[in-house]
Amino acid sequence: MAKVPSAAVAAGGLVGGFGVARWTKRRELGGAVLAVAGAAAAQQWRQRAGGAAAGALTAAYVAGFAGSHPLAKKVGAWPAVLGVAGAVALASWAVADRHA
């Protein structure tokens, strides 16, 4: 079975977490999706690129989540979430997935 790239897991967590929170109107469910995907991505980052890279990418994941909120006031909710998800996915690919 092929492994899902960590970039897809991270982007899916950000987009999926927002989507679940929005569609169910239950922020805690969206937070659970965000947390589970973040933990799965962090585990992959640690295995593929080491602890320091995993820490940096986890910080980028959390910063992307937090940064999407003020960005949404300027560009809209979905564009903000998709933008930060793309940025985190690109960083994840460059650091952990490119050589896998």
Side-chain angles (χ1 to χ4, degrees):
M1 177 184 226
K3 288 195 174 197
V4 177
S6 61
V9 174
L14 289 163
V15 173
F18 175 71
V20 166
R22 180 156 243 197
W23 290 316
T24 64
K25 298 188 183 340
R26 307 246 347 239
R27 293 178 76 179
E28 64 275 9
L29 292 179
V33 170
L34 182 81
V36 168
Q43 182 178 14
Q44 286 183 314
W45 294 329
R46 193 175 318 105
Q47 290 171 348
R48 294 179 183 172
L57 289 168
T58 300
Y61 184 81
V62 172
F65 166 70
S68 68
H69 290 82
L71 182 60
K73 293 180 182 185
K74 296 179 188 270
V75 299
W78 277 110
V81 170
L82 293 173
V84 299
V88 170
L90 181 60
S92 178
W93 174 82
V95 173
D97 293 336
R98 181 171 38 155
H99 301 295

